[in-house]
Amino acid sequence: MTGSFRAEVPNHFNLPRRIQRLGELAYNLWWTWEKDTQRMFASIDRDLWERTYHNPVQFLRQVKRTRLNAVTHDRHFLETYDDVMEAFDNYMAADDTWFIQNHPDLINSPIAYFSTEFGLHETLPIYAGGLGVLSGDHIKEASDLGMPLVAIGFIYTHGYFSQHITEDGWQEARYVQLHFDELPVAPILDAEDKPVTISVELPGREVQARLWEIHVGRVPLYLLDTNVDGNSEADRQLTARLYSSDLDLRISQELILGVGGVRALRVMGYNPSVWHMNEGHSAFLALERAREMVAGGATFEEAIERVKKNDVFTTHTPVPAGNDEFPTWLMDKYFSTKWTELGLDREEFMDIARRQLSWGETFSMPVLALKLSDQRNGVSELHGEVAREMWNFLWPDRKTEDVPIDHITNGVHTGTWLARRMRNLFSEYLEVGWREHLDDPNVWEKIVDIPDNELWDVRRHLKRKLVAYLIERTRNQWLCEGVHPVQVVASGALLDPYALTIGFARRFATYKRANLVLRDFDRLLNLVNDPHRPVQIIFAGKAHPADEPGKLLIQDVYRKVKQAESGGRLVFVEDYDMNLARYLVQGVDVWLNTPRRPNEASGTSGQKAALNGALNFSVLDGWWREGYNGRNGWAIGADEDYDDHNRQDAEDGLSLYKILEDEIIPLYYGNRTPDGVPSDWCERVKECIRTLAPRFSMRRMVKEYVENLYIPAINNAAAKTAEE
Ligand SMILES: *Cc1c(COP(=O)(O)O)cnc(C)c1O
């Protein structure tokens, strides 16, 4: 980083001296995955901690001085404080991280990681779903491993929407204005305390973007924001929201991310050795890098050859229609002054990423990314196969299996998603230091030593916590929002903490088939309302505001949920976010996933559930096709794809009911010890954690990115330089 620019962490808390460093902690998201730190904040004032939605910046600004004074005289609190601060200092100063031990020569070779969304914590609504949570988990793990990674994204002034469901099941989107001074983000300022900005040329004007920084443990995340003086009113709104369907807005955002992101890194003094595009939205970065080289005297061909060497591209989209493509007429508008800077004419420029689609000729962001990076991957084994087939046309003389797109299966960040009580249980039975070896299957062998009753105690505790939380949310809605009584029932007021509980929570895209389990509604109601062996299902998820079929799907589910016949045992919880996700993946017994194969590139929520001992019950798509071993959960349908959607839905539906009736319900309610512990169920839970926790950890995943993508990229670039 250049000396003159700095992230100015506001010091606007008036904290007692003895606990002054709470202010510093608040501004490093390390607390989002250190559960003891969150508990420490909460212990100062539990109600306020909930009211501020677990945001320590807002919390410390609002907490009463009397509460702060009280804890400075509380020996127990001070002990915790000193322990937490020591752990934080040790973490930040560690010089024996995995990366330093394994790649000491590369510690000064920054890896730049670009993503449109980062899911780090519920107080920062700058993510929409799985892609964002994956990016957030990726950079947290990069911090844990001590990698020299720097991340680039957007801070959206309105964030992603919060979801409200009307009595008739229609999704309404509410946007709130984020107040950056109440969030753990720090402005980047120059020597004169002025915001540091970069600029990007858009048709007829230069748009400025300022920079903010979030400290994610040891990793800096720089966020771009066009809401600055000097920009037109419309341009100030360019980074207001995620994923607009307006093409001008979208291409402008992607130019700011790709081109502006490169410039932001330059301004901050970085010269990255690897450029990772997480999905194609940031692919313009490759053109900006090429432009820099052409400006330095290279030809476009030479520039491309160099750029490719250390660009890395991860694709997440298994359906052609889901990819980001811009009509060429739109490209004319945005690039007609730019291709000359690359030394190209229009046709040569369009050729870089031209793709003929049924509706016209486009410039395709994934094609751009695939052609301008030598390291490419999908996010599960099956998705790798699908991607090779889908992009085979870019390598017409190769057989499908030789298309150069590899795969690295997704994982989840253990510290973020593992419940504290479950972590404590693991600490009792796994080796000391197990958290340093999360991806080592041997470490997890000892799971079998956990006594069933202790495991069951924690599982039941987590389910009670989930149910209590949902009832409390429902009570607040009833109290404050004047909802219709039927919505009180539909939100979970009648949930039972002892019934077999199934969770289905994810984005409501139609391919995820949220209503597959409702297909034969009478058959389902029979199971749900069995007085001796009741089953309850908790649904949650947002549809993109422009996705009408997705919103209709929510409505279909909601209308069934709210029927009296479902007995309050079918529930739809509004406003799925990382907070609700944590409660659900930790608290339910079974995690249901019913994508229409092979559309689920990987999926990660089931991995979070598995880590906490919730059993997956899922179509053999994405990660579950690799994780399922016959004993650690259940598979819906067969290991095959169908051309006929109706047949696929019918067969998967039948398979789902059969397994639920013949296997899941009997296993849960049957064979109980005198203390009521279901031994066979517990055995399956242990098999689930033992086999899945190490393999689908973010630790395993990020190490694979380092070894299989980042290091080859660095070596290829070095070889290329040597050759020149
Ligand atoms: C993990 C997570 C996702 C991804 O879920 P999938 O079911 O794997 O698509 C989406 N949203 C939130 C809030 C999550 O925590």
Side-chain angles (χ1 to χ4, degrees):
M1 200 191 277
T2 44
S4 48
F5 300 151
R6 63 186 197 285
E8 176 80 0
V9 172
N11 184 5
H12 46 192
F13 311 122
N14 183 13
L15 298 170
R17 233 190 144 66
R18 176 68 176 85
I19 54 171
Q20 199 162 31
R21 294 190 65 203
L22 287 178
E24 195 185 321
L25 271 189
Y27 275 94
N28 190 317
L29 295 197
W30 179 76
W31 58 261
T32 62
W33 67 98
E34 283 301 322
K35 306 272 143 87
D36 298 326
T37 312
Q38 294 166 34
R39 269 167 73 86
M40 176 180 70
F41 280 120
S43 73
I44 302 173
D45 182 340
R46 212 162 287 281
D47 290 342
L48 183 64
W49 181 247
E50 287 305 320
R51 272 208 311 283
T52 56
Y53 212 40
H54 321 138
N55 171 356
V57 173
Q58 212 184 356
F59 177 82
L60 290 179
R61 291 187 64 173
Q62 294 181 15
V63 66
K64 291 256 176 349
R65 184 72 191 190
T66 49
R67 287 301 310 147
L68 291 171
N69 286 339
V71 296
T72 57
H73 296 104
D74 176 342
R75 276 195 38 198
H76 178 68
F77 181 89
L78 293 178
E79 250 169 53
T80 308
Y81 172 82
D82 292 337
D83 287 350
V84 165
M85 288 319 309
E86 192 188 334
F88 179 61
D89 288 339
N90 288 341
Y91 182 88
M92 294 303 288
D95 55 9
D96 58 350
T97 62
W98 173 83
F99 197 86
I100 293 176
Q101 286 178 19
N102 288 276
H103 303 289
D105 48 321
L106 298 178
I107 200 69
N108 294 317
S109 306
I111 296 152
Y113 180 90
F114 283 63
S115 186
T116 39
E117 42 169 321
F118 286 90
L120 295 156
H121 187 260
E122 55 268 21
T123 60
L124 287 161
I126 55 172
Y127 64 95
L131 181 71
V133 175
L134 187 82
S135 309
D137 278 7
H138 190 123
I139 63 175
K140 288 172 181 174
E141 192 65 55
S143 169
D144 288 347
L145 291 173
M147 287 164 58
L149 187 136
V150 48
I152 291 278
F154 285 124
I155 184 147
Y156 300 96
T157 39
H158 290 278
Y160 201 52
F161 71 98
S162 74
Q163 177 196 49
H164 174 71
I165 306 288
T166 69
E167 190 204 330
D168 193 32
W170 195 246
Q171 165 179 294
E172 290 177 352
R174 294 176 181 170
Y175 288 90
V176 288
Q177 173 91 34
L178 299 186
H179 297 287
F180 296 169
D181 57 342
E182 292 196 334
L183 291 171
V185 297
I188 302 287
L189 302 178
D190 64 14
E192 277 121 46
D193 284 347
K194 293 221 183 58
V196 171
T197 59
I198 52 97
S199 87
V200 176
E201 187 190 61
L202 293 182
R205 78 257 188 218
E206 291 276 334
V207 172
Q208 312 291 317
R210 64 178 298 191
L211 305 179
W212 300 82
E213 180 174 348
I214 297 184
H215 303 288
V216 183
R218 291 178 276 239
V219 164
L221 164 60
Y222 295 107
L223 300 169
L224 298 152
D225 166 22
T226 62
N227 186 18
V228 297
D229 293 341
N231 283 346
S232 71
E233 211 31 61
D235 287 340
R236 294 179 78 133
Q237 299 297 318
L238 280 178
T239 55
R241 295 175 186 188
L242 283 89
Y243 301 135
S244 171
S245 16
D246 178 292
L247 281 177
D248 278 287
L249 208 62
R250 215 173 158 109
I251 195 170
S252 301
Q253 277 194 344
E254 294 187 13
L255 275 161
I256 291 164
L257 182 65
V259 177
V262 174
R263 293 179 185 171
L265 288 171
R266 299 291 185 219
V267 156
M268 298 309 295
Y270 286 97
N271 183 22
S273 57
V274 177
W275 301 78
H276 186 174
M277 302 170 240
N278 189 42
E279 196 49 295
H281 311 113
S282 54
F284 289 140
L285 80 82
L287 295 182
E288 171 63 6
R289 292 188 62 205
R291 187 200 59 79
E292 290 178 336
M293 291 173 193
V294 171
T299 66
F300 182 71
E301 284 69 30
E302 288 163 350
I304 290 305
E305 282 313 307
R306 275 186 236 156
V307 165
K308 278 161 72 163
K309 295 294 175 209
N310 55 354
D311 270 359
V312 173
F313 172 52
T314 303
T315 170
H316 295 261
T317 317
V319 264
N323 281 295
D324 224 4
E325 340 244 27
F326 297 115
T328 40
W329 58 260
L330 189 77
M331 294 302 288
D332 286 334
K333 179 169 164 191
Y334 283 81
F335 280 85
S336 55
T337 57
K338 293 198 168 76
W339 52 67
T340 40
E341 288 180 58
L342 294 170
L344 302 177
D345 63 28
R346 179 183 188 274
E347 293 315 305
E348 289 165 334
F349 176 75
M350 295 299 176
D351 278 344
I352 305 173
R354 198 193 298 271
R355 196 173 175 204
Q356 193 62 45
L357 294 180
S358 55
W359 49 271
E361 192 175 79
T362 69
F363 190 92
S364 160
M365 296 302 278
V367 170
L368 176 64
L370 286 164
K371 285 175 63 175
L372 296 198
S373 46
D374 275 350
Q375 292 70 216
R376 318 166 189 89
N377 72 302
V379 290
S380 70
E381 188 181 58
L382 183 61
H383 177 231
E385 284 171 27
V386 171
R388 284 189 288 278
E389 222 174 279
M390 198 164 118
W391 302 112
N392 202 159
F393 72 92
L394 294 174
W395 289 270
D397 11 327
R398 294 205 189 197
K399 287 195 287 215
T400 305
E401 61 267 32
D402 297 331
V403 169
I405 303 175
D406 220 328
H407 80 271
I408 293 177
T409 305
N410 285 345
V412 294
H413 184 247
T414 310
T416 299
W417 296 105
L418 178 61
R420 194 185 60 91
R421 284 279 289 267
M422 197 57 96
R423 181 202 71 188
N424 291 349
L425 185 67
F426 292 172
S427 290
E428 253 179 77
Y429 290 92
L430 304 186
E431 275 162 47
V432 178
W434 64 275
R435 293 172 75 190
E436 305 309 314
H437 305 279
L438 293 171
D439 55 332
D440 179 355
N442 291 322
V443 164
W444 294 86
E445 288 302 323
K446 293 233 173 68
I447 286 286
V448 293
D449 296 344
I450 301 178
D452 289 350
N453 61 331
E454 291 187 34
L455 179 63
W456 191 239
D457 269 354
V458 175
R459 295 286 323 142
R460 273 202 316 193
H461 164 80
L462 294 172
K463 186 154 63 173
R464 275 198 303 267
K465 216 176 125 184
L466 164 66
V467 170
Y469 171 68
L470 295 182
I471 290 178
E472 201 49 37
R473 270 173 76 126
T474 306
R475 189 193 316 285
N476 281 332
Q477 279 185 321
W478 184 222
L479 263 174
C480 310
E481 289 185 34
V483 293
H484 190 279
V486 79
Q487 292 180 278
V488 176
V489 175
S491 311
L494 299 182
L495 283 172
D496 170 358
Y498 299 100
L500 170 61
T501 304
I502 299 174
F504 181 101
R506 49 188 45 84
R507 227 161 20 85
F508 267 62
T510 47
Y511 78 82
K512 300 208 181 214
R513 298 188 296 184
N515 53 0
L516 190 75
V517 65
L518 306 171
R519 214 178 138 83
D520 188 342
F521 197 47
D522 292 331
R523 188 165 173 186
L524 179 68
L525 288 181
N526 270 334
L527 303 177
V528 164
N529 290 318
D530 183 327
H532 304 295
R533 305 192 309 177
V535 176
Q536 51 198 11
I537 307 181
I538 304 172
F539 295 92
K542 297 172 178 176
H544 186 280
D547 178 9
E548 296 301 314
K551 290 195 279 191
L552 284 167
L553 184 56
I554 291 179
Q555 186 167 45
D556 181 36
V557 170
Y558 197 83
R559 283 177 174 170
K560 294 212 164 76
V561 159
K562 72 173 191 180
Q563 290 182 18
E565 292 76 10
S566 75
R569 289 201 169 100
L570 301 181
V571 164
F572 187 100
V573 187
E574 288 180 339
D575 210 17
Y576 184 49
D577 69 352
M578 288 180 74
N579 184 49
L580 181 55
R582 253 190 340 266
Y583 276 100
L584 287 169
V585 298
Q586 295 172 1
V588 300
D589 299 299
V590 172
W591 193 253
L592 175 68
N593 194 12
T594 51
R596 185 176 287 126
R597 186 177 141 147
N599 286 320
E600 182 90 325
S602 166
T604 52
S605 60
Q607 303 172 345
K608 303 167 194 167
L611 180 64
N612 287 286
L615 296 172
N616 278 272
F617 177 31
S618 172
V619 170
L620 289 172
D621 195 5
W623 80 279
W624 186 233
R625 186 168 161 273
E626 293 157 57
Y628 176 63
N629 71 358
R631 297 177 308 278
N632 57 3
W634 295 274
I636 298 168
D639 186 11
E640 59 184 275
D641 299 339
Y642 296 79
D643 290 328
D644 178 351
H645 283 177
N646 290 329
R647 215 186 108 221
Q648 187 172 10
D649 294 356
E651 292 194 7
D652 287 350
L654 287 177
S655 163
L656 188 159
Y657 290 118
K658 191 164 160 41
I659 295 169
L660 196 53
E661 289 163 353
D662 297 351
E663 299 184 38
I664 300 181
I665 298 173
L667 194 75
Y668 182 85
Y669 286 106
N671 196 15
R672 299 248 170 163
T673 66
D675 300 332
V677 178
S679 318
D680 296 343
W681 187 274
C682 288
E683 193 181 314
R684 201 166 271 249
V685 169
K686 288 186 215 170
E687 178 69 4
C688 151
I689 299 170
R690 185 182 73 81
T691 55
L692 303 173
R695 246 178 94 196
F696 300 99
S697 67
M698 191 46 86
R699 179 129 334 150
R700 186 271 308 150
M701 184 192 110
V702 173
K703 283 184 182 175
E704 287 183 2
Y705 274 81
V706 172
E707 305 295 352
N708 303 344
L709 300 173
Y710 299 157
I711 304 252
I714 292 172
N715 292 340
N716 291 346
K720 174 86 182 147
T721 312
E723 174 196 309
E724 285 173 7

